[in-house]
Amino acid sequence: MKPKSEEVEKAKRNAALEAVKHVKDGFILGLGSGSTVAYAAEEIGRRIRAENLQVKVVPTSYQAFMLAVKNGIPTTTLEEHPTPDLTIDGADQIDENLNLIKGMGGALTREKIVAAASKTLIIIADWRKKAKFLGENSQSVPIEVLPFAASLVNRKVTMLGGKPTLREGAGKVGPVVTDNGNFIIDVDFGLIENPAELEKMLKTIPGIVETGLFVNMADTVYLGRPDKVEKLERKK
Ligand code: 5RP
């Protein structure tokens, strides 16, 4: 049975509230992108007003920047703060080792850069995002590519066994153009038993800017349900 949308929204919010409990006064935060992160931004804004919490965020997309502005959260950059204390971000799929597929919102490149720069990465998601293997339920891997390289990347990922689809815009004709001026190719690789190996192979293809595979990056995942939150931690 399909879950009700209000149950899903409650689950996302519950996960976000748990993550924001980790935010301490003086923290520099990476602010991820997506609808679950929107709840985290609301809660950070609420704590700024209620507790006079002093924090700044490095936004991972224009959406994240706008969420920060809307919720009264000061923004900063990696130039000013190269090592954020904590990044809170969403995910599209999470496997048993806390490897992730991200990028259905098209913000994967900046998300990966900010996550890699941060001391800690906490992922927030509703329960439907958990999978035994990445790629389950036909979840594709978003790949950001230079427009000039799109046809080469299509051919190369097909040789690796993937089925590529150039992401088309909604509210715009033609391909989606990312915050970095690139295209997104969504590639269905079937079940991904070794995400680290796939990531390594993809990174050898000229024109791939970044992939939505986040391997060994998440420290903690809060998986929300309408009535509780499950905490998962990466084995190190
Ligand atoms: C954007 C992302 C998002 O974090 C991911 O798509 C999850 O979004 P949502 O919380 O809306 O399900 O990777 O590029």
Side-chain angles (χ1 to χ4, degrees):
M1 206 172 66
K2 211 167 164 262
K4 289 196 197 116
S5 71
E6 64 258 32
E7 286 179 338
V8 174
E9 293 311 307
K10 223 166 163 189
K12 291 180 189 182
R13 186 164 182 276
N14 286 343
L17 294 187
E18 277 313 306
V20 175
K21 287 182 187 163
H22 291 258
V23 176
K24 297 200 177 96
D25 201 40
F27 262 23
I28 300 300
L29 298 166
L31 187 64
S33 307
S35 58
T36 315
V37 165
Y39 289 112
E42 270 177 25
E43 177 63 4
I44 294 166
R46 189 197 65 75
R47 286 190 55 195
I48 288 175
R49 292 187 300 279
E51 301 166 26
N52 192 26
L53 187 76
Q54 302 291 315
V55 293
K56 287 182 185 169
V57 297
V58 179
T60 56
S61 60
Y62 289 130
Q63 183 231 10
F65 175 75
M66 287 172 187
L67 282 174
V69 172
K70 181 176 158 202
N71 289 288
I73 312 170
T75 57
T76 184
T77 62
L78 284 182
E79 280 68 30
E80 290 159 297
H81 294 99
T83 320
D85 297 287
L86 166 65
T87 285
I88 299 175
D89 203 347
D92 301 299
Q93 203 164 52
I94 303 156
D95 77 7
E96 291 183 330
N97 299 312
L98 305 199
N99 296 316
L100 317 169
I101 291 178
K102 286 184 49 55
M104 291 313 290
L108 56 131
T109 299
R110 292 189 193 200
E111 288 174 336
K112 202 184 259 188
I113 292 167
V114 174
S118 300
K119 294 176 193 156
T120 303
L121 174 61
I122 296 182
I123 295 296
I124 51 178
D126 67 76
W127 78 99
R128 304 168 306 162
K129 306 286 184 77
K130 181 90 193 297
K132 187 165 167 53
F133 291 108
L134 297 181
E136 268 177 32
N137 305 321
S138 308
Q139 173 64 56
S140 55
V141 178
I143 297 178
E144 181 159 354
V145 301
L146 287 176
F148 186 74
S151 82
L152 172 73
V153 172
N154 266 330
R155 195 153 56 78
K156 293 281 188 186
V157 295
T158 304
M159 283 161 69
L160 291 177
K163 292 191 192 80
T165 308
L166 182 67
R167 196 180 294 181
E168 298 277 332
K172 171 192 176 294
V173 288
V176 162
V177 177
T178 69
D179 291 355
N180 312 305
N182 296 314
F183 291 172
I184 299 273
I185 298 180
D186 293 302
V187 190
D188 181 353
F189 285 104
L191 285 191
I192 303 169
E193 292 186 18
N194 191 339
E197 189 56 29
L198 178 59
E199 168 75 345
K200 216 155 87 188
M201 288 192 294
L202 291 171
K203 284 301 192 70
T204 66
I205 301 173
I208 287 187
V209 176
E210 199 43 87
T211 87
L213 289 170
F214 283 47
V215 179
N216 287 331
M217 292 186 79
D219 297 289
T220 303
V221 172
Y222 284 112
L223 210 59
R225 290 184 173 274
D227 54 346
K228 61 176 185 228
V229 178
E230 189 184 351
K231 181 180 187 179
L232 310 169
E233 281 182 291
R234 180 161 58 92
K235 295 179 194 79
K236 290 181 186 162

